[in-house]
């Protein structure tokens, strides 16, 4: 039976994944952790064990793993791309030392590890369209540097120590439960909030900038599917390209307009986040994930827009 520790459990992915995993594996078998308590997550903190864990503190992390006899670590605690450019030293510390501590305790306690990489693991010299699984990875953001190094470190722990490491390169993730914290793809989340509240959104990403995206239910499905995938079928491990759609601001706006016809989009481009977006792929080739563990996303842009607007409307009490 799996005994799972989720780091960053109160973040955008963790808050939904933890509850999803508790349904599959049982409340007592999924330990949520975060470096601090956050308001608004009472259900999560009360539905099972919750521990304070700062992943940069290897001793604290190891104590929690041993205390609960954890055998699977889903490591989500990380600094995202835009914050990483503001605070590169912090991004290195949390993303690299955090992952190193996770891998070390996994080696000592024989745990499996899942941790996400990102489209940020690619850079300007990567082929932009239909970006292959195995290609040039020379990112120019600190976040991207930590993601590539993290992929390599996870591969190293698998080959050298036999730690069962697995990961995907997530695109921008769109969800209504918890806001993302300081990413470049966040515009595609904020646009839905503003569409409902103000019928208008000012995008910090320029017209024509395509990026890969995915609705959260598909992202959760990717994690649970890869976690349980037959290891004999995995040629790759860290990390699989996965995507569900690729769009630019005008296309998501057009999708919203089908439901809110008066919605308007304008632009006030942030040069830092635009430069990051310009260095990332337009669209990923995720055939390796499809072939090796049956990746099969359910939501396209319009299906996501419909569900997002319905769910957010209820959440915002509109
Ligand atoms: N959504 C992330 C970001 O924008 C990409 O991994 O930073």
């Amino acid at each position: 039976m799996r005994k799972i520790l989720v780091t960053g459990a109160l973040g955008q992915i963790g808050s939904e994944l933890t509850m999803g995993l508790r349904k599959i594996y049982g409340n007592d078998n999924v330990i949520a952790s975060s470096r601090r308590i956050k308001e608004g997550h009472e259900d999560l903190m009360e539905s099972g064990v919750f521990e304070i864990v700062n992943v940069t503190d290897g001793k604290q992390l190891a104590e929690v793993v041993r205390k609960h006899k954890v055998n699977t670590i889903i490591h989500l605690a990380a600094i995202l791309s835009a914050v990483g450019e503001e605070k590169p030293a912090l991004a290195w510390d949390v993303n690299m030392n955090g992952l190193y501590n996770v891998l070390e305790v996994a080696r000592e306690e024989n745990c499996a590890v899942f941790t996400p990489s990102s489209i940020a693991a690619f850079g300007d010299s990567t082929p932009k369209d239909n970006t292959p699984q195995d290609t040039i990875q020379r990112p120019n953001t600190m976040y991207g540097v930590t993601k590539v190094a993290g992929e390599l470190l996870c591969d190293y722990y698998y080959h050298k120590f036999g730690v069962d490491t697995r990961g995907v390169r997530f695109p921008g993730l769109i969800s209504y439960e918890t806001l993302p914290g300081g990413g470049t793809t966040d515009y595609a989340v904020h646009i839905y909030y503003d569409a409902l509240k103000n019928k208008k959104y000012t995008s910090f990403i320029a017209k024509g900038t395509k990026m890969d995206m995915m609705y959260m239910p598909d992202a959760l499905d990717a994690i649970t599917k890869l976690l349980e995938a037959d290891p004999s079928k995995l040629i790759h491990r860290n990390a699989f390209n996965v995507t569900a759609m690729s769009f630019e601001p005008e296309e998501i706006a057009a999708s919203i307009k089908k439901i809110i016809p008066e919605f308007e989009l304008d632009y006030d481009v942030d040069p830092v986040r635009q430069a990051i977006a310009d260095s990332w792929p337009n669209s990923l080739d995720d055939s390796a994930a499809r072939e090796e563990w049956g990746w099969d996303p359910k939501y396209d842009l319009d299906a996501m827009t419909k569900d997002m607007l319905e769910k957010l409307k209820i959440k915002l009490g509109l």
Side-chain angles (χ1 to χ4, degrees):
M1 179 47 117
R2 280 196 194 272
K3 193 89 187 213
I4 303 173
L5 172 68
V6 182
T7 73
L10 305 185
Q12 189 198 8
I13 305 174
S15 57
E16 295 195 45
L17 180 68
T18 304
M19 298 306 257
L21 292 174
R22 283 184 173 156
K23 281 199 195 116
I24 301 172
Y25 298 100
N27 287 3
D28 297 338
N29 293 320
V30 182
I31 291 102
S33 74
S34 171
R35 80 190 154 88
R36 61 187 165 91
I37 287 172
K38 285 189 208 156
E39 262 179 48
H41 293 288
E42 289 72 19
D43 282 359
L44 187 150
M45 291 189 280
E46 284 157 21
S47 65
V49 178
F50 176 81
E51 294 274 8
I52 295 286
V53 174
N54 181 338
V55 293
T56 63
D57 182 344
K59 199 165 157 273
Q60 187 187 44
L61 175 71
E63 274 166 18
V64 168
V65 167
R66 290 190 192 111
K67 178 174 155 194
H68 296 287
K69 300 192 168 41
V70 166
N71 58 24
T72 304
I73 305 173
I74 301 188
H75 176 46
L76 304 175
I79 301 291
L80 292 187
S81 59
V83 176
E85 289 312 281
E86 270 168 39
K87 300 176 183 167
L90 178 73
W92 179 266
D93 186 31
V94 173
N95 296 5
M96 288 321 307
N97 294 328
L99 177 60
Y100 177 77
N101 290 335
V102 165
L103 290 168
E104 267 301 284
V105 71
R107 178 178 70 80
E108 284 166 3
E109 302 299 325
N110 205 12
C111 301
V113 175
F114 174 93
T115 195
S117 182
S118 160
I119 48 171
F122 299 115
D124 284 324
S125 49
T126 305
K128 289 239 177 282
D129 295 307
N130 219 19
T131 303
Q133 172 66 38
D134 301 307
T135 185
I136 301 164
Q137 292 184 266
R138 308 276 303 170
N140 51 10
T141 62
M142 179 54 95
Y143 178 66
V145 168
T146 66
K147 286 296 169 189
V148 177
E151 290 183 12
L152 295 172
L153 200 58
C154 287
D155 274 346
Y156 180 80
Y157 270 72
Y158 170 65
H159 290 296
K160 178 92 178 173
F161 304 119
V163 177
D164 183 356
T165 56
R166 302 178 186 198
V168 295
R169 295 182 186 128
F170 273 135
L173 297 182
I174 291 149
S175 64
Y176 55 86
E177 193 72 42
T178 306
L179 281 168
T184 300
T185 54
D186 297 11
Y187 93 88
V189 178
H190 299 159
I191 196 169
Y192 287 111
Y193 280 77
D194 283 17
L196 284 170
K197 286 197 273 194
N198 311 322
K199 315 261 180 271
K200 187 177 181 321
Y201 179 68
T202 302
S203 174
F204 58 77
I205 292 296
K207 189 172 177 166
T209 312
K210 270 192 184 280
M211 285 186 277
D212 284 285
M213 301 279 177
M214 186 185 295
Y215 196 32
M216 188 58 83
D218 281 328
L220 304 184
D221 192 46
I223 296 174
T224 46
K225 257 203 185 120
L226 179 55
L227 199 61
E228 296 301 347
D230 175 353
S232 70
K233 303 234 161 70
L234 299 183
I235 300 161
H236 300 84
R237 281 183 163 260
N238 306 290
F240 287 92
N241 284 2
V242 284
T243 186
M245 61 192 94
S246 164
F247 57 75
E248 57 121 333
E250 296 291 320
E251 289 169 293
I252 186 172
S255 177
I256 292 171
K257 271 188 198 164
K258 288 181 193 165
I259 296 172
I260 307 175
E262 61 277 40
F263 176 69
E264 281 175 29
L265 174 67
D266 64 9
Y267 295 89
D268 180 12
V269 174
D270 167 18
V272 174
R273 285 178 287 187
Q274 184 59 38
I276 297 174
D278 285 340
S279 76
W280 290 353
N282 297 332
S283 62
L284 297 183
D285 170 3
D286 61 4
S287 50
R290 289 173 186 270
E291 281 158 24
E292 292 176 40
W293 49 275
W295 164 240
D296 185 20
K298 303 283 177 294
Y299 287 86
D300 64 12
L301 177 55
D302 283 342
M304 172 175 78
T305 296
K306 185 170 175 290
D307 199 61
M308 257 311 265
L309 291 175
E310 278 170 15
K311 300 278 170 45
L312 256 189
K313 211 170 168 180
I314 298 167
K315 181 183 161 138
L316 299 173
L318 296 168

